Amino acid sequence: MNAYQMLARHKAARPLAAPAIALGLALAMVAAPTTALNAAPAADQDNAILMSVGGSKVVNLPAKMSDVVIANPDVVDVHVRTNNQLYLIAKKPGETTVFVTAGNGKVLFSGTVRVGNNLTTIDDMLRLAMPGANIAVNKMNGMVLLTGTIKAPEDAAEAERLTQAFVGKDVTVVSRLLMATPLQVMLQVKIAEVSKDVGHKIGTNFTSQDNSGGKLGGVIGGGSRDFASYDSANNSWSFTTPVDGSYSLGGVARLFGMDIAGALDLAESSGLASTLAQPNLTALSGETASFLAGGEYPYTVNNGPSSGNSIQFKQYGVQLAFTPTVLADGRISLRVRPTVSSLDFSVSSSVPALKSRTAETTVELGSGQAFMIAGLLNNEAANNVNKVPGLGNVPILGSLFKSRSFQRNETELVIVVTPYLVKPVNASDIRLPTDGFRNANVGQGLFLQQMHDGVSGAQPNMPTRAPGSPVAPTPGPQASIAAPALAARDEDRSSGKSGGATPGFSF
């Protein structure tokens, strides 16, 4: 039987004979299970005595004790000072039961004792909860700062939660934990924009020249542009075409002693433009990366009468900023902000305005999964009519006295975002299109009509040892396998054998 029995006797108590001791012990062991179940709280009710390693607890008994039984003496030790008082001393983490009986076999105390680690500091608690992390706790000005490295991204939130529960809600916990091996996220973004515009324009223009020389004179004119001019020296008219690419029909007629020139401008336009940008960015988990495909235009800023003016620059084009956070199981929380902007000279021909469309959102998805930002539609329509009051409302003939223009612009923007978890590769695994490429020499160019000599994307030259030098053995299975291959390759190169195209340019 795995039990630790200690017989406690008061100094003034009458000594017992050996047979009496054995009989009392046997009766206590038989009666203990039934009596303990009724007298002591059950362990499944979670009323066990909780202690820390190195701690102690005093148990006061209602009567004089005779025997003490401990199931696992390595977890809890017992010290007896009097017949009515018992000291429990925690030795190591674990769980055990303690029974105390009287001389008549009655159970005076029965309970479960659970001993745990002595978590007196935040460092001990975090070290026990996250053995693979290296977290340092700094206390300053009523705040707890967590620094160091963790293994998994979700450990940062768990460490902050445990620390907050340890110090209480009144203390601010700031986490600056970093990944021991930071995860990198590559973001592939496709920005597609389709712009369509339709325009119609019909305009009438009149001007006149009075050549009658009488006492009464007059003038007839109007329209949207200066289309004709009169040369009095040569008595001739000259016409100009519209600058916006419209077609114009013009002529001159004499009416009431005046030369009247008129022009009918007709224009119909339709355009379709598409823009596709596909930037790729890579950033560490928790860091922000940005991208710009466009430019910067300068503008003048007035700093006051004493400071004068200064020149500042404004960015435009396709811009992208994103912040990835790698979660558990490879999930990625992504905050992305794409912006598409262009210069607009409709307000001023010298100082452009900026047309901008921006979307900002936060999503959670796995590596290789994509989401689309759609519905960024822009529809602009304008309809202008210039006419002569009264005459412009006359059916059919009223069209000669009015101008009408119609313009409609439609733009749709679609953005597709796809994040990937990426890892660096060895430099020897990277191939470039220029690896192994060489220009053709004079003979190859003149006689063979070759433009180049070599293979694009071939294996580039790698670092080699000097010819004839011994191969130094290096530990490790990979080095022992690679050494003969490197030696054979170096011997082929030193002997002039061609093992493939080599990179570089030659003439």
Side-chain angles (χ1 to χ4, degrees):
M1 179 181 298
N2 183 15
Y4 174 79
Q5 300 178 352
M6 181 180 67
L7 183 63
R9 290 289 183 267
H10 193 267
K11 295 181 180 180
R14 184 178 58 184
L16 297 177
I21 297 175
L23 180 60
L25 180 60
L27 293 176
M29 294 300 295
V30 173
T34 304
T35 308
L37 183 63
N38 298 328
D44 56 0
Q45 297 178 353
D46 202 20
N47 291 324
I49 299 176
L50 303 180
M51 301 179 64
S52 298
V53 176
S56 62
K57 187 176 292 291
V58 179
V59 179
N60 295 318
L61 304 175
K64 295 181 179 180
M65 59 181 168
S66 174
D67 302 296
V68 177
V69 180
I70 304 174
N72 189 357
D74 294 334
V75 176
V76 175
D77 196 4
V78 176
H79 182 68
V80 178
R81 295 296 301 272
T82 63
N83 285 341
N84 301 89
Q85 200 172 59
L86 189 68
Y87 292 87
L88 301 179
I89 302 174
K91 298 174 62 178
K92 73 174 186 178
E95 181 177 338
T96 185
T97 54
V98 178
F99 299 95
V100 180
T101 59
N104 56 2
K106 181 180 178 181
V107 177
L108 302 179
F109 173 79
S110 175
T112 301
V113 181
R114 294 174 184 170
V115 179
N117 287 315
N118 188 12
L119 302 179
T120 58
T121 62
I122 305 176
D123 302 81
D124 296 337
M125 182 264 297
L126 294 178
R127 193 178 301 108
L128 178 64
M130 300 177 181
N134 185 15
I135 302 176
V137 181
N138 304 295
K139 298 180 180 180
M140 56 185 71
N141 299 330
M143 178 184 68
V144 176
L145 177 63
L146 302 180
T147 58
T149 58
I150 52 178
K151 283 190 174 181
E154 61 272 15
D155 290 346
E158 185 67 16
E160 186 175 356
R161 186 185 65 83
L162 292 175
T163 305
Q164 192 70 65
F166 191 93
V167 300
K169 298 182 179 180
D170 298 334
V171 180
T172 302
V173 178
V174 179
S175 176
R176 296 298 298 171
L177 299 174
L178 300 176
M179 287 284 297
T181 56
L183 299 177
Q184 300 181 89
V185 178
M186 186 193 75
L187 189 68
Q188 182 186 75
V189 181
K190 295 182 180 179
I191 302 176
E193 181 183 17
V194 178
S195 178
K196 180 181 179 181
D197 61 273
V198 177
H200 299 277
K201 181 179 180 181
I202 299 178
T204 57
N205 304 278
F206 291 98
T207 185
S208 64
Q209 179 66 31
D210 188 1
N211 297 325
S212 62
K215 294 182 179 180
L216 297 177
V219 63
I220 297 176
S224 59
R225 68 183 183 91
D226 295 332
F227 68 97
S229 60
Y230 177 73
D231 187 0
S232 58
N234 298 324
N235 191 21
S236 62
W237 290 84
S238 60
F239 292 86
T240 59
T241 57
V243 295
D244 56 357
S246 303
Y247 290 90
S248 180
L249 300 176
V252 180
R254 183 173 293 276
L255 182 65
F256 304 118
M258 292 187 302
D259 292 340
I260 300 177
L264 179 63
D265 297 337
L266 302 174
E268 181 177 353
S269 62
S270 62
L272 182 64
S274 61
T275 303
L276 176 63
Q278 190 172 343
N280 293 331
L281 294 177
T282 303
L284 295 177
S285 177
E287 301 295 334
T288 301
S290 59
F291 169 85
L292 171 64
E296 298 181 349
Y297 72 91
Y299 61 95
T300 305
V301 177
N302 188 2
N303 298 323
S306 59
S307 301
N309 299 334
S310 62
I311 302 297
Q312 295 186 5
F313 292 86
K314 186 69 175 180
Q315 295 180 348
Y316 69 94
V318 179
Q319 304 178 57
L320 174 67
F322 82 103
T323 304
T325 302
V326 181
L327 306 177
D329 301 330
R331 303 287 293 179
I332 302 173
S333 177
L334 189 66
R335 184 177 185 87
V336 60
R337 179 185 175 89
T339 302
V340 178
S341 57
S342 59
L343 299 180
D344 183 15
F345 292 91
S346 60
V347 179
S348 175
S349 59
S350 59
V351 181
L354 196 64
K355 286 185 177 180
S356 179
R357 275 165 293 173
T358 302
E360 184 174 359
T361 183
T362 302
V363 295
E364 180 181 336
L365 65 170
S367 177
Q369 297 180 343
F371 74 96
M372 177 181 293
I373 303 175
L376 300 177
L377 303 177
N378 186 22
N379 193 347
E380 298 178 358
N383 193 358
N384 299 321
V385 176
N386 296 326
K387 63 182 179 179
V388 178
L391 295 178
N393 297 328
V394 177
I396 301 177
L397 295 178
S399 300
L400 300 175
F401 300 96
K402 67 178 179 181
S403 300
R404 178 180 178 271
S405 63
F406 172 77
Q407 185 71 31
R408 183 178 64 188
N409 298 323
E410 295 180 353
T411 303
E412 181 177 3
L413 182 64
V414 178
I415 303 171
V416 180
V417 179
T418 307
Y420 296 92
L421 288 176
V422 297
K423 295 181 179 179
V425 299
N426 295 327
S428 59
D429 297 334
I430 297 177
R431 300 290 186 270
L432 298 178
T434 55
D435 290 342
F437 178 82
R438 293 179 298 178
N439 290 331
N441 55 33
V442 178
Q444 291 172 338
L446 291 178
F447 300 104
L448 301 180
Q449 302 298 321
Q450 291 184 359
M451 300 295 296
H452 60 84
D453 177 23
V455 180
S456 178
Q459 173 68 37
N461 278 338
M462 303 299 293
T464 60
R465 62 184 179 88
S469 61
V471 179
T474 54
Q478 295 182 354
S480 61
I481 296 175
L486 292 175
R489 183 190 63 184
D490 296 342
E491 291 177 359
D492 292 341
R493 291 182 178 177
S494 61
S495 60
K497 297 181 181 181
S498 177
T502 58
F505 296 90
S506 60
F507 296 93

